[in-house]
Amino acid sequence: MEDELDPVIHAASRLRIMTALAAIGKDSSLSFAKLADLLDMTPGNLSVHLTKLEKAGYVAIEKTFEGRKPATFVTVSEQGRDAFDHYLAALKKLLGPVDKS
């Protein structure tokens, strides 16, 4: 159903992740470390939620190196951006005014 809240996004931690990634703009990414710090999440917890989002196609994870040090960057995908927009629309509809007639 189109008005239902996406259960992949609806979990509190994943909603926070998607909100942070959507806020940085299209085609931008955040490092794993910065995202964990921003959301005050442990690396293990963040990793579990990112894996669920990645399996759904909502985020892209790129592992690279900065010098000799491994670095991981996370970007919201186009599919993820669309899913997040639909999630927000469904949430606004759910929280909208109640017709008392």
Side-chain angles (χ1 to χ4, degrees):
M1 185 172 188
E2 191 172 304
D3 294 340
E4 289 184 17
L5 298 175
D6 184 332
V8 174
I9 296 175
H10 192 64
S13 293
R14 292 191 294 274
L15 177 57
R16 292 173 59 221
I17 293 166
M18 291 298 291
T19 301
L21 292 173
I24 63 170
K26 192 174 181 173
D27 300 325
S28 295
S29 63
L30 280 176
S31 71
F32 181 92
K34 183 154 183 104
L35 189 58
D37 187 52
L38 178 70
L39 300 176
D40 195 28
M41 294 175 75
T42 65
N45 192 21
L46 179 57
S47 181
V48 166
H49 289 293
L50 284 176
T51 298
K52 287 185 185 270
L53 290 168
E54 184 180 36
K55 284 183 180 178
Y58 292 175
V59 300
I61 298 173
E62 180 186 359
K63 295 182 183 271
T64 186
F65 285 89
E66 290 183 341
R68 292 181 167 220
K69 191 174 181 183
T72 302
F73 292 90
V74 185
T75 307
V76 66
S77 68
E78 196 62 41
Q79 179 182 347
R81 190 168 298 283
D82 289 344
F84 187 67
D85 289 345
H86 287 291
Y87 179 88
L88 291 180
L91 186 60
K92 287 176 185 175
K93 185 172 184 180
L94 179 68
L95 297 175
V98 177
D99 184 13
K100 295 183 181 182
S101 51

